[in-house]
Amino acid sequence: MKKPKIEAEEQQPRKIIRADKAPTDGYSLVVDGHFKSHHDTVEAAEEAGMALKNQYQMLQVQVYDAATKTRSMIEWPAPA
């Protein structure tokens, strides 16, 4: 006798973010010239960037603003 299949909850499709295309909304981290993580607010992006910069000081970390299409550098140590 076959065992009944246990069906897991249907997963929603992931939002695929390509590293070679600039995002169209929100804020993204740019690490050594490559788009990495996407964030809804600039504060969240800067916090993630500082956490990365604190761990690996040699990286070039920037926050990309999709609305204005500008990048701002994350400096280490953080300005007081």
Side-chain angles (χ1 to χ4, degrees), residues 2-71:
K2 292 185 179 180
K3 293 183 180 179
K5 289 185 180 180
I6 299 174
E7 294 185 27
E9 291 181 19
E10 190 173 315
Q11 295 180 355
Q12 295 183 358
R14 293 187 319 159
K15 180 179 179 184
I16 298 173
I17 300 172
R18 291 183 49 171
D20 61 339
K21 301 242 180 178
T24 57
D25 63 333
Y27 300 88
S28 292
L29 277 185
V30 180
V31 180
D32 289 340
H34 299 278
F35 291 102
K36 294 297 180 180
S37 60
H38 183 74
H39 303 276
D40 293 327
T41 64
V42 68
E43 291 84 13
E46 287 175 347
E47 185 177 324
M50 277 309 295
L52 189 61
K53 193 74 172 174
N54 284 333
Q55 194 169 7
Y56 304 102
Q57 293 86 22
M58 74 294 260
L59 293 178
Q60 181 182 13
V61 181
Q62 300 171 330
V63 175
Y64 176 76
D65 182 0
T68 61
K69 298 183 181 176
T70 58
R71 298 177 188 210

